[in-house]
mmCIF file of all heavy atoms in Angstrom:
data_model
loop_
_atom_site.group_PDB
_atom_site.id
_atom_site.type_symbol
_atom_site.label_atom_id
_atom_site.label_comp_id
_atom_site.label_asym_id
_atom_site.label_seq_id
_atom_site.Cartn_x
_atom_site.Cartn_y
_atom_site.Cartn_z
ATOM 1 N N MET Q 282 -8.613 -17.446 13.089
ATOM 2 C CA MET Q 282 -9.539 -18.536 13.447
ATOM 3 C C MET Q 282 -10.905 -18.043 13.953
ATOM 4 O O MET Q 282 -11.897 -18.763 13.855
ATOM 5 C CB MET Q 282 -8.911 -19.465 14.480
ATOM 6 C CG MET Q 282 -8.538 -18.810 15.791
ATOM 7 S SD MET Q 282 -8.011 -20.026 17.053
ATOM 8 C CE MET Q 282 -6.742 -20.954 16.203
ATOM 9 N N THR Q 283 -10.967 -16.825 14.494
ATOM 10 C CA THR Q 283 -12.245 -16.325 15.014
ATOM 11 C C THR Q 283 -13.101 -15.633 13.950
ATOM 12 O O THR Q 283 -14.240 -15.255 14.237
ATOM 13 C CB THR Q 283 -11.992 -15.330 16.164
ATOM 14 O OG1 THR Q 283 -11.133 -14.294 15.706
ATOM 15 C CG2 THR Q 283 -11.386 -16.032 17.359
ATOM 16 N N VAL Q 284 -12.567 -15.457 12.744
ATOM 17 C CA VAL Q 284 -13.320 -14.727 11.718
ATOM 18 C C VAL Q 284 -13.493 -15.540 10.436
ATOM 19 O O VAL Q 284 -13.784 -14.983 9.380
ATOM 20 C CB VAL Q 284 -12.640 -13.370 11.388
ATOM 21 C CG1 VAL Q 284 -12.686 -12.445 12.586
ATOM 22 C CG2 VAL Q 284 -11.209 -13.583 10.906
ATOM 23 N N LEU Q 285 -13.335 -16.847 10.527
ATOM 24 C CA LEU Q 285 -13.419 -17.678 9.321
ATOM 25 C C LEU Q 285 -14.768 -17.534 8.623
ATOM 26 O O LEU Q 285 -14.846 -17.500 7.388
ATOM 27 C CB LEU Q 285 -13.150 -19.139 9.686
ATOM 28 C CG LEU Q 285 -11.722 -19.461 10.164
ATOM 29 C CD1 LEU Q 285 -11.596 -20.940 10.497
ATOM 30 C CD2 LEU Q 285 -10.693 -19.052 9.118
ATOM 31 N N GLU Q 286 -15.836 -17.441 9.413
ATOM 32 C CA GLU Q 286 -17.164 -17.293 8.804
ATOM 33 C C GLU Q 286 -17.289 -15.982 8.041
ATOM 34 O O GLU Q 286 -17.983 -15.909 7.022
ATOM 35 C CB GLU Q 286 -18.253 -17.365 9.885
ATOM 36 C CG GLU Q 286 -18.379 -18.733 10.552
ATOM 37 C CD GLU Q 286 -19.452 -18.738 11.614
ATOM 38 O OE1 GLU Q 286 -20.076 -17.668 11.839
ATOM 39 O OE2 GLU Q 286 -19.685 -19.802 12.225
ATOM 40 N N LYS Q 287 -16.590 -14.948 8.527
ATOM 41 C CA LYS Q 287 -16.711 -13.631 7.922
ATOM 42 C C LYS Q 287 -15.831 -13.458 6.689
ATOM 43 O O LYS Q 287 -16.021 -12.513 5.925
ATOM 44 C CB LYS Q 287 -16.370 -12.554 8.959
ATOM 45 C CG LYS Q 287 -17.328 -12.555 10.145
ATOM 46 C CD LYS Q 287 -16.940 -11.509 11.181
ATOM 47 C CE LYS Q 287 -17.892 -11.532 12.354
ATOM 48 N NZ LYS Q 287 -17.532 -10.551 13.408
ATOM 49 N N ILE Q 288 -14.859 -14.343 6.520
ATOM 50 C CA ILE Q 288 -13.980 -14.218 5.354
ATOM 51 C C ILE Q 288 -14.123 -15.433 4.427
ATOM 52 O O ILE Q 288 -13.200 -15.792 3.706
ATOM 53 C CB ILE Q 288 -12.507 -14.034 5.772
ATOM 54 C CG1 ILE Q 288 -12.004 -15.213 6.608
ATOM 55 C CG2 ILE Q 288 -12.327 -12.726 6.519
ATOM 56 C CD1 ILE Q 288 -10.512 -15.150 6.900
ATOM 57 N N SER Q 289 -15.279 -16.047 4.483
ATOM 58 C CA SER Q 289 -15.558 -17.200 3.612
ATOM 59 C C SER Q 289 -16.586 -16.824 2.558
ATOM 60 O O SER Q 289 -17.491 -16.020 2.804
ATOM 61 C CB SER Q 289 -16.077 -18.377 4.436
ATOM 62 O OG SER Q 289 -15.103 -18.834 5.350
ATOM 63 N N ARG Q 290 -16.417 -17.433 1.405
ATOM 64 C CA ARG Q 290 -17.397 -17.294 0.325
ATOM 65 C C ARG Q 290 -17.947 -18.675 0.065
ATOM 66 O O ARG Q 290 -17.327 -19.487 -0.636
ATOM 67 C CB ARG Q 290 -16.744 -16.719 -0.928
ATOM 68 C CG ARG Q 290 -16.199 -15.303 -0.733
ATOM 69 C CD ARG Q 290 -15.492 -14.817 -1.989
ATOM 70 N NE ARG Q 290 -15.002 -13.440 -1.850
ATOM 71 C CZ ARG Q 290 -14.284 -12.799 -2.748
ATOM 72 N NH1 ARG Q 290 -13.952 -13.422 -3.882
ATOM 73 N NH2 ARG Q 290 -13.884 -11.562 -2.544
ATOM 74 N N GLY Q 291 -19.089 -18.946 0.686
ATOM 75 C CA GLY Q 291 -19.624 -20.303 0.617
ATOM 76 C C GLY Q 291 -18.688 -21.241 1.366
ATOM 77 O O GLY Q 291 -18.269 -20.956 2.494
ATOM 78 N N PRO Q 292 -18.290 -22.327 0.745
ATOM 79 C CA PRO Q 292 -17.384 -23.274 1.416
ATOM 80 C C PRO Q 292 -15.911 -22.895 1.289
ATOM 81 O O PRO Q 292 -15.051 -23.622 1.781
ATOM 82 C CB PRO Q 292 -17.670 -24.583 0.676
ATOM 83 C CG PRO Q 292 -18.036 -24.155 -0.710
ATOM 84 C CD PRO Q 292 -18.784 -22.840 -0.552
ATOM 85 N N PHE Q 293 -15.626 -21.761 0.646
ATOM 86 C CA PHE Q 293 -14.226 -21.403 0.361
ATOM 87 C C PHE Q 293 -13.790 -20.175 1.157
ATOM 88 O O PHE Q 293 -14.541 -19.203 1.301
ATOM 89 C CB PHE Q 293 -14.047 -21.127 -1.134
ATOM 90 C CG PHE Q 293 -14.432 -22.285 -2.002
ATOM 91 C CD1 PHE Q 293 -15.632 -22.267 -2.709
ATOM 92 C CD2 PHE Q 293 -13.611 -23.404 -2.106
ATOM 93 C CE1 PHE Q 293 -15.998 -23.331 -3.505
ATOM 94 C CE2 PHE Q 293 -13.969 -24.472 -2.892
ATOM 95 C CZ PHE Q 293 -15.172 -24.444 -3.599
ATOM 96 N N LEU Q 294 -12.546 -20.236 1.642
ATOM 97 C CA LEU Q 294 -11.961 -19.096 2.335
ATOM 98 C C LEU Q 294 -11.498 -18.047 1.336
ATOM 99 O O LEU Q 294 -11.004 -18.382 0.260
ATOM 100 C CB LEU Q 294 -10.756 -19.539 3.167
ATOM 101 C CG LEU Q 294 -11.000 -20.034 4.582
ATOM 102 C CD1 LEU Q 294 -9.682 -20.494 5.204
ATOM 103 C CD2 LEU Q 294 -11.624 -18.953 5.456
ATOM 104 N N ASP Q 295 -11.699 -16.788 1.703
ATOM 105 C CA ASP Q 295 -11.164 -15.688 0.905
ATOM 106 C C ASP Q 295 -9.703 -15.528 1.309
ATOM 107 O O ASP Q 295 -9.377 -14.882 2.318
ATOM 108 C CB ASP Q 295 -11.953 -14.410 1.190
ATOM 109 C CG ASP Q 295 -11.498 -13.248 0.327
ATOM 110 O OD1 ASP Q 295 -10.359 -13.298 -0.193
ATOM 111 O OD2 ASP Q 295 -12.256 -12.275 0.174
ATOM 112 N N ARG Q 296 -8.792 -16.139 0.557
ATOM 113 C CA ARG Q 296 -7.381 -16.143 0.921
ATOM 114 C C ARG Q 296 -6.793 -14.733 0.949
ATOM 115 O O ARG Q 296 -5.888 -14.444 1.731
ATOM 116 C CB ARG Q 296 -6.597 -17.016 -0.060
ATOM 117 C CG ARG Q 296 -6.962 -18.487 0.004
ATOM 118 C CD ARG Q 296 -6.610 -19.097 1.342
ATOM 119 N NE ARG Q 296 -6.894 -20.529 1.390
ATOM 120 C CZ ARG Q 296 -6.734 -21.269 2.468
ATOM 121 N NH1 ARG Q 296 -6.306 -20.716 3.600
ATOM 122 N NH2 ARG Q 296 -7.011 -22.557 2.444
ATOM 123 N N ARG Q 297 -7.304 -13.863 0.099
ATOM 124 C CA ARG Q 297 -6.796 -12.488 0.074
ATOM 125 C C ARG Q 297 -7.145 -11.782 1.379
ATOM 126 O O ARG Q 297 -6.298 -11.111 1.982
ATOM 127 C CB ARG Q 297 -7.382 -11.733 -1.111
ATOM 128 C CG ARG Q 297 -6.856 -10.302 -1.246
ATOM 129 C CD ARG Q 297 -7.366 -9.650 -2.533
ATOM 130 N NE ARG Q 297 -6.885 -8.276 -2.651
ATOM 131 C CZ ARG Q 297 -7.479 -7.235 -2.077
ATOM 132 N NH1 ARG Q 297 -8.577 -7.421 -1.345
ATOM 133 N NH2 ARG Q 297 -6.986 -6.021 -2.232
ATOM 134 N N ALA Q 298 -8.392 -11.942 1.847
ATOM 135 C CA ALA Q 298 -8.810 -11.322 3.108
ATOM 136 C C ALA Q 298 -8.030 -11.915 4.272
ATOM 137 O O ALA Q 298 -7.621 -11.199 5.197
ATOM 138 C CB ALA Q 298 -10.311 -11.525 3.316
ATOM 139 N N GLU Q 299 -7.802 -13.223 4.220
ATOM 140 C CA GLU Q 299 -7.046 -13.899 5.265
ATOM 141 C C GLU Q 299 -5.624 -13.345 5.333
ATOM 142 O O GLU Q 299 -5.096 -13.082 6.419
ATOM 143 C CB GLU Q 299 -7.027 -15.402 4.979
ATOM 144 C CG GLU Q 299 -6.395 -16.248 6.068
ATOM 145 C CD GLU Q 299 -6.373 -17.720 5.698
ATOM 146 O OE1 GLU Q 299 -6.204 -18.030 4.492
ATOM 147 O OE2 GLU Q 299 -6.501 -18.556 6.603
ATOM 148 N N LYS Q 300 -5.017 -13.152 4.168
ATOM 149 C CA LYS Q 300 -3.646 -12.628 4.112
ATOM 150 C C LYS Q 300 -3.583 -11.193 4.622
ATOM 151 O O LYS Q 300 -2.653 -10.814 5.357
ATOM 152 C CB LYS Q 300 -3.121 -12.688 2.678
ATOM 153 C CG LYS Q 300 -1.655 -12.265 2.536
ATOM 154 C CD LYS Q 300 -1.191 -12.406 1.103
ATOM 155 C CE LYS Q 300 0.308 -12.123 0.968
ATOM 156 N NZ LYS Q 300 0.692 -10.787 1.459
ATOM 157 N N LEU Q 301 -4.581 -10.387 4.274
ATOM 158 C CA LEU Q 301 -4.595 -8.999 4.718
ATOM 159 C C LEU Q 301 -4.668 -8.905 6.235
ATOM 160 O O LEU Q 301 -3.959 -8.102 6.867
ATOM 161 C CB LEU Q 301 -5.783 -8.256 4.088
ATOM 162 C CG LEU Q 301 -5.650 -7.892 2.606
ATOM 163 C CD1 LEU Q 301 -6.956 -7.312 2.080
ATOM 164 C CD2 LEU Q 301 -4.508 -6.883 2.406
ATOM 165 N N ILE Q 302 -5.524 -9.729 6.844
ATOM 166 C CA ILE Q 302 -5.667 -9.720 8.306
ATOM 167 C C ILE Q 302 -4.364 -10.140 8.979
ATOM 168 O O ILE Q 302 -3.900 -9.511 9.931
ATOM 169 C CB ILE Q 302 -6.820 -10.658 8.734
ATOM 170 C CG1 ILE Q 302 -8.158 -10.058 8.303
ATOM 171 C CG2 ILE Q 302 -6.794 -10.903 10.240
ATOM 172 C CD1 ILE Q 302 -9.338 -10.994 8.497
ATOM 173 N N THR Q 303 -3.759 -11.200 8.464
ATOM 174 C CA THR Q 303 -2.518 -11.709 9.056
ATOM 175 C C THR Q 303 -1.375 -10.723 8.881
ATOM 176 O O THR Q 303 -0.626 -10.446 9.826
ATOM 177 C CB THR Q 303 -2.146 -13.057 8.422
ATOM 178 O OG1 THR Q 303 -3.244 -13.952 8.515
ATOM 179 C CG2 THR Q 303 -0.959 -13.666 9.134
ATOM 180 N N ASP Q 304 -1.219 -10.187 7.675
ATOM 181 C CA ASP Q 304 -0.145 -9.229 7.425
ATOM 182 C C ASP Q 304 -0.306 -7.980 8.291
ATOM 183 O O ASP Q 304 0.696 -7.418 8.780
ATOM 184 C CB ASP Q 304 -0.114 -8.837 5.947
ATOM 185 C CG ASP Q 304 0.374 -9.967 5.054
ATOM 186 O OD1 ASP Q 304 0.905 -10.956 5.587
ATOM 187 O OD2 ASP Q 304 0.214 -9.861 3.816
ATOM 188 N N GLU Q 305 -1.553 -7.550 8.492
ATOM 189 C CA GLU Q 305 -1.807 -6.377 9.327
ATOM 190 C C GLU Q 305 -1.381 -6.642 10.768
ATOM 191 O O GLU Q 305 -0.756 -5.794 11.415
ATOM 192 C CB GLU Q 305 -3.291 -6.000 9.288
ATOM 193 C CG GLU Q 305 -3.608 -4.786 10.162
ATOM 194 C CD GLU Q 305 -5.098 -4.535 10.286
ATOM 195 O OE1 GLU Q 305 -5.898 -5.413 9.905
ATOM 196 O OE2 GLU Q 305 -5.457 -3.456 10.792
ATOM 197 N N ALA Q 306 -1.694 -7.840 11.279
ATOM 198 C CA ALA Q 306 -1.327 -8.184 12.658
ATOM 199 C C ALA Q 306 0.189 -8.232 12.817
ATOM 200 O O ALA Q 306 0.748 -7.709 13.793
ATOM 201 C CB ALA Q 306 -1.945 -9.526 13.049
ATOM 202 N N ILE Q 307 0.873 -8.849 11.860
ATOM 203 C CA ILE Q 307 2.334 -8.959 11.924
ATOM 204 C C ILE Q 307 2.974 -7.578 11.895
ATOM 205 O O ILE Q 307 3.918 -7.286 12.646
ATOM 206 C CB ILE Q 307 2.863 -9.826 10.765
ATOM 207 C CG1 ILE Q 307 2.433 -11.291 10.964
ATOM 208 C CG2 ILE Q 307 4.384 -9.732 10.671
ATOM 209 C CD1 ILE Q 307 2.757 -12.194 9.794
ATOM 210 N N SER Q 308 2.445 -6.698 11.057
ATOM 211 C CA SER Q 308 2.987 -5.349 10.938
ATOM 212 C C SER Q 308 2.626 -4.483 12.144
ATOM 213 O O SER Q 308 3.496 -3.818 12.728
ATOM 214 C CB SER Q 308 2.463 -4.689 9.666
ATOM 215 O OG SER Q 308 2.849 -3.339 9.591
ATOM 216 N N LYS Q 309 1.365 -4.519 12.537
ATOM 217 C CA LYS Q 309 0.867 -3.665 13.625
ATOM 218 C C LYS Q 309 1.558 -3.968 14.941
ATOM 219 O O LYS Q 309 1.909 -3.057 15.703
ATOM 220 C CB LYS Q 309 -0.642 -3.855 13.759
ATOM 221 C CG LYS Q 309 -1.295 -3.015 14.844
ATOM 222 C CD LYS Q 309 -2.806 -3.239 14.840
ATOM 223 C CE LYS Q 309 -3.496 -2.410 15.904
ATOM 224 N NZ LYS Q 309 -4.971 -2.635 15.898
ATOM 225 N N TYR Q 310 1.761 -5.271 15.226
ATOM 226 C CA TYR Q 310 2.335 -5.668 16.507
ATOM 227 C C TYR Q 310 3.810 -6.064 16.413
ATOM 228 O O TYR Q 310 4.376 -6.557 17.390
ATOM 229 C CB TYR Q 310 1.513 -6.805 17.112
ATOM 230 C CG TYR Q 310 0.102 -6.383 17.446
ATOM 231 C CD1 TYR Q 310 -0.994 -6.935 16.788
ATOM 232 C CD2 TYR Q 310 -0.128 -5.405 18.404
ATOM 233 C CE1 TYR Q 310 -2.285 -6.535 17.087
ATOM 234 C CE2 TYR Q 310 -1.419 -4.991 18.703
ATOM 235 C CZ TYR Q 310 -2.489 -5.557 18.048
ATOM 236 O OH TYR Q 310 -3.770 -5.145 18.347
ATOM 237 N N ALA Q 311 4.412 -5.835 15.253
ATOM 238 C CA ALA Q 311 5.847 -6.124 15.066
ATOM 239 C C ALA Q 311 6.188 -7.542 15.504
ATOM 240 O O ALA Q 311 7.137 -7.767 16.267
ATOM 241 C CB ALA Q 311 6.694 -5.100 15.820
ATOM 242 N N ILE Q 312 5.408 -8.510 15.022
ATOM 243 C CA ILE Q 312 5.654 -9.912 15.345
ATOM 244 C C ILE Q 312 6.901 -10.367 14.598
ATOM 245 O O ILE Q 312 6.987 -10.248 13.378
ATOM 246 C CB ILE Q 312 4.440 -10.785 14.952
ATOM 247 C CG1 ILE Q 312 3.207 -10.344 15.734
ATOM 248 C CG2 ILE Q 312 4.729 -12.265 15.200
ATOM 249 C CD1 ILE Q 312 1.918 -11.001 15.289
ATOM 250 N N ARG Q 313 7.870 -10.891 15.325
ATOM 251 C CA ARG Q 313 9.128 -11.314 14.721
ATOM 252 C C ARG Q 313 8.968 -12.704 14.113
ATOM 253 O O ARG Q 313 8.888 -13.705 14.823
ATOM 254 C CB ARG Q 313 10.235 -11.336 15.772
ATOM 255 C CG ARG Q 313 10.593 -9.959 16.323
ATOM 256 C CD ARG Q 313 11.749 -10.057 17.291
ATOM 257 N NE ARG Q 313 12.084 -8.772 17.882
ATOM 258 C CZ ARG Q 313 13.043 -8.593 18.774
ATOM 259 N NH1 ARG Q 313 13.766 -9.630 19.172
ATOM 260 N NH2 ARG Q 313 13.291 -7.399 19.279
ATOM 261 N N THR Q 314 8.916 -12.766 12.815
ATOM 262 C CA THR Q 314 8.747 -14.038 12.120
ATOM 263 C C THR Q 314 9.208 -13.890 10.675
ATOM 264 O O THR Q 314 9.055 -12.806 10.091
ATOM 265 C CB THR Q 314 7.270 -14.488 12.148
ATOM 266 O OG1 THR Q 314 7.124 -15.723 11.421
ATOM 267 C CG2 THR Q 314 6.362 -13.438 11.517
ATOM 268 N N PRO Q 315 9.757 -14.947 10.081
ATOM 269 C CA PRO Q 315 10.141 -14.850 8.669
ATOM 270 C C PRO Q 315 8.937 -14.786 7.741
ATOM 271 O O PRO Q 315 9.014 -14.211 6.663
ATOM 272 C CB PRO Q 315 10.966 -16.129 8.443
ATOM 273 C CG PRO Q 315 10.533 -17.069 9.531
ATOM 274 C CD PRO Q 315 10.208 -16.208 10.701
ATOM 275 N N ASP Q 316 7.804 -15.396 8.176
ATOM 276 C CA ASP Q 316 6.585 -15.366 7.356
ATOM 277 C C ASP Q 316 5.384 -15.760 8.196
ATOM 278 O O ASP Q 316 5.515 -16.178 9.356
ATOM 279 C CB ASP Q 316 6.710 -16.313 6.147
ATOM 280 C CG ASP Q 316 7.056 -17.731 6.558
ATOM 281 O OD1 ASP Q 316 6.257 -18.353 7.278
ATOM 282 O OD2 ASP Q 316 8.129 -18.223 6.156
ATOM 283 N N ALA Q 317 4.194 -15.645 7.595
ATOM 284 C CA ALA Q 317 2.946 -15.914 8.308
ATOM 285 C C ALA Q 317 2.679 -17.392 8.529
ATOM 286 O O ALA Q 317 1.776 -17.749 9.281
ATOM 287 C CB ALA Q 317 1.773 -15.295 7.535
ATOM 288 N N GLU Q 318 3.462 -18.259 7.893
ATOM 289 C CA GLU Q 318 3.234 -19.700 8.008
ATOM 290 C C GLU Q 318 4.033 -20.342 9.144
ATOM 291 O O GLU Q 318 3.933 -21.538 9.370
ATOM 292 C CB GLU Q 318 3.574 -20.394 6.683
ATOM 293 C CG GLU Q 318 2.725 -19.931 5.513
ATOM 294 C CD GLU Q 318 1.225 -20.017 5.815
ATOM 295 O OE1 GLU Q 318 0.776 -21.082 6.286
ATOM 296 O OE2 GLU Q 318 0.531 -19.006 5.602
ATOM 297 N N LYS Q 319 4.796 -19.557 9.852
ATOM 298 C CA LYS Q 319 5.579 -20.101 10.970
ATOM 299 C C LYS Q 319 4.639 -20.577 12.070
ATOM 300 O O LYS Q 319 3.677 -19.887 12.436
ATOM 301 C CB LYS Q 319 6.526 -19.042 11.522
ATOM 302 C CG LYS Q 319 7.552 -19.582 12.519
ATOM 303 C CD LYS Q 319 8.531 -18.500 12.928
ATOM 304 C CE LYS Q 319 9.604 -19.012 13.872
ATOM 305 N NZ LYS Q 319 10.495 -19.995 13.223
ATOM 306 N N LYS Q 320 4.894 -21.757 12.624
ATOM 307 C CA LYS Q 320 4.064 -22.287 13.708
ATOM 308 C C LYS Q 320 4.252 -21.430 14.963
ATOM 309 O O LYS Q 320 5.374 -21.049 15.307
ATOM 310 C CB LYS Q 320 4.439 -23.735 14.014
ATOM 311 C CG LYS Q 320 4.116 -24.713 12.883
ATOM 312 C CD LYS Q 320 4.538 -26.127 13.255
ATOM 313 C CE LYS Q 320 4.213 -27.104 12.126
ATOM 314 N NZ LYS Q 320 4.655 -28.481 12.454
ATOM 315 N N VAL Q 321 3.153 -21.166 15.674
ATOM 316 C CA VAL Q 321 3.258 -20.280 16.829
ATOM 317 C C VAL Q 321 4.055 -20.918 17.968
ATOM 318 O O VAL Q 321 4.613 -20.207 18.810
ATOM 319 C CB VAL Q 321 1.866 -19.846 17.348
ATOM 320 C CG1 VAL Q 321 1.156 -18.991 16.323
ATOM 321 C CG2 VAL Q 321 1.021 -21.036 17.729
ATOM 322 N N MET Q 322 4.152 -22.236 18.004
ATOM 323 C CA MET Q 322 4.951 -22.887 19.034
ATOM 324 C C MET Q 322 6.433 -22.543 18.900
ATOM 325 O O MET Q 322 7.200 -22.684 19.860
ATOM 326 C CB MET Q 322 4.769 -24.406 18.982
ATOM 327 C CG MET Q 322 5.305 -25.078 17.738
ATOM 328 S SD MET Q 322 4.875 -26.841 17.656
ATOM 329 C CE MET Q 322 5.717 -27.457 19.104
ATOM 330 N N GLU Q 323 6.832 -22.061 17.729
ATOM 331 C CA GLU Q 323 8.227 -21.715 17.490
ATOM 332 C C GLU Q 323 8.523 -20.236 17.775
ATOM 333 O O GLU Q 323 9.657 -19.795 17.645
ATOM 334 C CB GLU Q 323 8.587 -22.035 16.030
ATOM 335 C CG GLU Q 323 8.473 -23.524 15.698
ATOM 336 C CD GLU Q 323 8.631 -23.813 14.221
ATOM 337 O OE1 GLU Q 323 8.699 -22.841 13.438
ATOM 338 O OE2 GLU Q 323 8.681 -24.991 13.844
ATOM 339 N N LEU Q 324 7.494 -19.497 18.207
ATOM 340 C CA LEU Q 324 7.667 -18.083 18.519
ATOM 341 C C LEU Q 324 8.019 -17.900 19.987
ATOM 342 O O LEU Q 324 7.730 -18.755 20.828
ATOM 343 C CB LEU Q 324 6.381 -17.303 18.216
ATOM 344 C CG LEU Q 324 5.878 -17.284 16.776
ATOM 345 C CD1 LEU Q 324 4.548 -16.544 16.711
ATOM 346 C CD2 LEU Q 324 6.893 -16.633 15.846
#
């Protein structure tokens, strides 16, 4: 959410860049989740 401007191409989000950032966070910090779409309230 803090880097949306940096990973946007005009009015569109760069989904690949978004996925890379999220996957890196999940891997780097060993976040226990089945996938990146899990709501954080359930963590």
Side-chain angles (χ1 to χ4, degrees):
M282 61 172 53
T283 55
V284 294
L285 293 180
E286 293 179 359
K287 297 178 180 179
I288 59 173
S289 296
R290 297 177 178 176
F293 302 104
L294 273 177
D295 183 340
R296 294 296 183 183
R297 182 174 179 276
E299 186 182 35
K300 185 178 186 303
L301 285 173
I302 290 172
T303 307
D304 289 347
E305 179 188 12
I307 291 173
S308 174
K309 181 177 180 180
Y310 296 115
I312 299 172
R313 294 183 182 179
T314 178
D316 55 62
E318 299 307 311
K319 190 175 183 66
K320 293 179 180 178
V321 294
M322 66 187 298
E323 297 172 353
L324 298 176

